[in-house]
Amino acid sequence: MSQALPAAANRVERIGRKPFSLTKAIVVVLLSVLFVTQLYPLLWLLIYSLKTNEEILSGSFFSLPASPQWVNFTNAIESGNYFKYLYNSLFVTTVTMVGVLLLSTLASFAIGRFRWRYGPAVLVLFLIGMMIPMQATLLPLMIIFKNLGILNTHLSLILPYIAFQTPIAVFILSGFMKSIPHEIEESAVVDGAGIFRIFRSIILPISVPPMMTVCILTFINIWNEYIMAATFISSERLKTLPFGVNSFVSQYSVNYGAIGAFLVLGALPVIIIYFLLADKITKGMVAGAVKG
């Protein structure tokens, strides 16, 4: 009996061991490299923001600051008008997300749930919109907005932002809505529900995961957008967060540490939102991958 126990324990230990897998090892290595390459720029930027100009200009990119310069963050908030630009960015981004969600959910509902001849053609038109480069529309949009009298207003940013973000939102939401069983709608119709009741009470609650994905992707794409903001906005009180960097650049000097601190503060909302809602991005992207 005493010899059987160690033998049984050895068998259990062998069963519990997982055989070495070269494929898993390669995947772990690749993921580790990807993690380091994605995390390193953020760590480098944080270290950069705590240095003096002399330390930054010395060329020692990998060295730690001799004495952390927390005053750079104070300068970034005060001299960079951080809270004013933050408010403008939040306002523009929030209104854009609401507009994108409203238009994309309605369009996706029509494309994904209605049986009509031109549904695929309309979807193709939205997909073509994803191929148009933003830079190619700057001059025509400037002329249009000037004639409409909305140049140098937040509306001149919100309208093109909605136009450029809606196609990818329709692509995500329509794919999900097509996977919803039609029996759900048929039972609702039998109970006397109309189109808008079905959309509001059935389709929208089911579509929350991809809608969250659309919100996060829109937020990330719009938050740091600079080209359109620099083209259509000239008033200091209407500028968004990326313009704060210009506050530390003068004709004869540049406060590199404050620029780094401002960039850290500007990226902080995106990082927080992404890590809080990262699982919802994954769920939303694969939500329509399985039929039914």
Side-chain angles (χ1 to χ4, degrees):
M1 184 68 178
S2 60
Q3 294 177 354
L5 289 176
N10 291 333
R11 284 197 299 271
V12 171
E13 185 178 355
R14 286 196 299 271
I15 294 173
R17 282 183 196 160
K18 293 182 179 179
F20 175 78
S21 173
L22 181 60
T23 304
K24 290 183 179 179
I26 294 175
V27 170
V28 170
V29 171
L30 291 177
L31 291 177
S32 300
V33 172
L34 182 63
F35 176 77
V36 171
T37 54
Q38 295 297 316
L39 187 62
Y40 171 73
L42 297 176
L43 294 177
W44 179 85
L45 182 61
L46 180 60
I47 295 173
Y48 181 95
S49 66
L50 297 174
K51 290 183 178 182
T52 62
N53 274 4
E54 290 75 15
E55 291 174 326
I56 293 172
L57 296 175
S58 65
S60 55
F61 296 103
F62 302 99
S63 63
L64 296 175
S67 177
Q69 301 296 310
W70 298 105
V71 69
N72 289 336
F73 286 89
T74 303
N75 293 334
I77 293 174
E78 296 177 355
S79 302
N81 298 318
Y82 174 75
F83 289 111
K84 180 175 70 174
Y85 294 148
L86 178 65
Y87 169 78
N88 291 334
S89 290
L90 286 174
F91 175 77
V92 170
T93 305
T94 302
V95 175
T96 300
M97 286 195 298
V98 172
V100 169
L101 276 181
L102 180 62
L103 293 177
S104 61
T105 51
L106 291 172
S108 300
F109 180 62
I111 294 172
R113 306 307 297 170
F114 291 177
R115 296 185 178 96
W116 55 306
R117 180 185 304 175
Y118 302 106
V122 173
L123 179 59
V124 169
L125 288 177
F126 278 105
L127 296 181
I128 292 175
M130 297 170 58
M131 306 175 190
I132 300 175
M134 183 181 296
Q135 295 80 0
T137 65
L138 293 178
L139 183 58
L141 286 177
M142 175 172 280
I143 296 174
I144 293 172
F145 292 159
K146 184 177 181 181
N147 292 334
L148 292 176
I150 61 174
L151 193 64
N152 194 31
T153 64
H154 281 155
L155 190 60
S156 64
L157 290 182
I158 293 171
L159 291 179
Y161 285 168
I162 292 176
F164 278 100
Q165 296 302 314
T166 299
I168 182 64
V170 171
F171 175 72
I172 294 173
L173 290 172
S174 62
F176 174 81
M177 290 185 182
K178 286 180 181 179
S179 68
I180 300 175
H182 285 278
E183 289 76 11
I184 298 177
E185 291 171 312
E186 292 171 358
S187 61
V189 171
V190 172
D191 292 337
I195 294 295
F196 290 103
R197 178 67 181 275
I198 293 172
F199 174 72
R200 185 181 70 252
S201 303
I202 298 176
I203 302 299
L204 284 184
I206 297 176
S207 303
V208 168
M211 287 170 63
M212 291 298 300
T213 300
V214 169
C215 286
I216 296 169
L217 293 179
T218 302
F219 183 89
I220 293 174
N221 292 334
I222 297 302
W223 187 255
N224 291 321
E225 200 284 322
Y226 182 82
I227 296 177
M228 280 195 169
T231 304
F232 300 145
I233 300 294
S234 58
S235 175
E236 187 69 24
R237 66 182 182 84
L238 297 176
K239 291 181 177 180
T240 51
L241 205 57
F243 286 92
V245 175
N246 299 331
S247 304
F248 309 104
V249 180
S250 63
Q251 185 175 359
Y252 301 105
S253 65
V254 179
N255 190 342
Y256 295 103
I259 290 176
F262 193 91
L263 293 175
V264 171
L265 293 173
L268 198 58
V270 179
I271 295 172
I272 293 174
I273 290 177
Y274 182 82
F275 277 105
L276 289 177
L277 303 176
D279 59 327
K280 296 186 181 298
I281 294 180
T282 306
K283 291 179 181 178
M285 292 300 289
V286 303
V290 181
K291 196 72 174 174

